[in-house]
């Protein structure tokens, strides 16, 4: 008779978010449901297609283009940064709602990909009529925690529904670009 040993893999919970802080944030929002905040950033072209974007007092955020689009390949391009923003926003929403629901997460990873036609690149390529920007975005969430698959699926769906960035992708947004 052979004896086999099964080792249970113990995963550490993700660094916690303050449930009390989330509750205070929710209470403030419920008390002031019509508050709209204007977010501000400043982007400065460093040269070629490398741009430095400044947010609050944080170090600059670099955006560049790959060599195929004549960039230096030192950072994500603008469209990749949009996908990164979507992934981060969904991650924040999933994590916050897990905490509020009493779910301890041990893994939260998102893989994103988007389809974009770049033949009309910056209005200097093929200018035939076509859809500009992403046509399709796919997000796969790898999520583990002390909840059932159904609860985790509901958590992801809820975060997707309430994500400001996901809704910016889905809904028309007024954009005004003018010379200063």
């Amino acid at each position: 008779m052979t004896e086999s040993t099964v080792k249970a893999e113990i995963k550490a919970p993700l660094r916690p978010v303050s449930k009390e802080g989330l509750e205070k944030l929710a209470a403030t929002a419920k008390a002031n449901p019509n508050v709209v905040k204007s977010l501000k950033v400043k982007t400065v072209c460093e040269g070629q297609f490398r741009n430095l974007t400044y947010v609050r007092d944080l170090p600059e955020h670099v955006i560049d283009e790959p060599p195929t689009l004549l960039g230096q390949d030192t950072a994500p391009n603008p469209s990749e940064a949009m996908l990164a923003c979507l992934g981060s926003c969904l991650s924040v929403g999933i994590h916050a709602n897990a905490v509020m629901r009493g779910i301890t997460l041990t893994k939260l990873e998102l893989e994103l990909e988007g389809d974009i036609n770049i033949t009309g690149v910056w209005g200097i390529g093929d200018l035939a009529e076509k859809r500009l920007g992403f046509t399709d975005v796919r997000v796969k969430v790898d999520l583990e925690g002390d909840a059932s698959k159904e609860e985790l699926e509901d958590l992801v769906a809820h975060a997707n529904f309430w994500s400001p960035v996901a809704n910016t992708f889905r809904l028309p947004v007024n954009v005004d670009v003018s010379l200063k």
Side-chain angles (χ1 to χ4, degrees):
M1 182 176 209
T2 60
E3 215 175 290
S4 62
T5 305
V6 177
K7 290 185 179 180
E9 185 179 339
I10 299 174
K11 294 189 175 189
L14 298 178
R15 189 170 60 245
V17 175
S18 165
K19 186 170 184 179
E20 180 181 301
L22 288 171
E23 289 169 341
K24 284 182 182 178
L25 188 62
T28 299
K30 288 175 184 176
N32 303 289
N34 296 318
V35 171
V36 174
K37 181 174 175 143
S38 293
L39 304 178
K40 296 180 181 184
V41 303
K42 181 178 182 178
T43 298
V44 178
C45 183
E46 190 178 63
Q48 206 166 350
F49 289 138
R50 184 178 157 94
N51 288 278
L52 307 177
T53 296
Y54 299 90
V55 180
R56 299 188 308 271
D57 294 327
L58 300 170
E60 70 271 359
H61 180 80
V62 181
I63 299 291
D64 198 356
E65 292 286 355
T68 55
L69 292 175
L70 308 177
Q72 299 170 19
D73 206 19
T74 61
N77 72 26
S79 298
E80 292 165 332
M82 286 182 65
L83 290 176
C85 290
L86 175 59
S88 296
C89 189
L90 290 169
S91 177
V92 167
I94 291 167
H95 198 181
N97 280 280
V99 169
M100 291 300 286
R101 295 177 184 198
I103 299 171
T104 300
L105 298 179
T106 55
K107 182 178 187 180
L108 175 52
E109 296 179 6
L110 295 87
E111 294 178 10
L112 296 91
E113 63 181 23
D115 302 331
I116 187 168
N117 182 324
I118 61 167
T119 60
V121 65
W122 314 304
I124 61 171
D126 173 17
L127 303 184
E129 189 172 320
K130 65 182 83 209
R131 165 76 185 251
L132 301 175
F134 285 108
T135 55
D136 294 282
V137 173
R138 293 168 295 285
V139 182
K140 296 292 182 189
V141 181
D142 192 358
L143 185 60
E144 295 176 8
D146 62 353
S148 70
K149 182 177 181 184
E150 292 76 22
E151 289 172 308
L152 295 177
E153 286 173 343
D154 183 64
L155 184 63
V156 170
H158 184 80
N160 178 33
F161 181 83
W162 288 99
S163 165
V165 177
N167 280 293
T168 299
F169 269 84
R170 285 190 284 265
L171 304 171
V173 175
N174 299 321
V175 177
D176 178 25
V177 180
S178 61
L179 191 60
K180 189 172 181 179

